[in-house]
Amino acid sequence: MAGFGPHNPPAIHMDPALVKWNQMTVNRHKYFRWTPRTAWITFAYVIVVPAMLGTAGYMTDGKWDMRGKRRGDLISEF
């Protein structure tokens, strides 16, 4: 018979602000709206950031070789 109930109150009182914050995060999907700001943030994280990382990786692919280098050797291949 664990848990809270009329005969087993919590040992400490819950902070109302934390309870409200918890309920807000649990129910966030119910109150989400697409606005220009949320659309731009979604676009940036889904399209722009991966495109930039992919471009940077493609441009530097094979440019540096770290294997078998000694002190004074150049790591750039071209």
Side-chain angles (χ1 to χ4, degrees):
M1 297 270 181
F4 305 128
H7 303 294
N8 190 14
I12 58 174
H13 292 287
M14 301 293 285
D15 184 4
L18 288 177
V19 172
K20 184 178 178 182
W21 178 78
N22 184 36
Q23 289 302 316
M24 179 194 66
T25 57
V26 168
N27 296 318
R28 186 180 306 257
H29 66 281
K30 295 178 184 176
Y31 304 106
F32 178 78
R33 285 191 211 164
W34 283 106
T35 62
R37 181 176 184 267
T38 57
W40 170 248
I41 291 172
T42 302
F43 176 76
Y45 281 111
V46 172
I47 303 295
V48 175
V49 171
M52 288 174 29
L53 291 174
T55 303
Y58 181 76
M59 293 176 76
T60 59
D61 185 34
K63 201 169 225 183
W64 298 296
D65 185 19
M66 301 290 188
R67 180 176 279 172
K69 299 293 182 179
R70 296 183 180 175
R71 185 181 301 165
D73 290 346
L74 296 176
I75 61 170
S76 63
E77 292 295 320
F78 33 134

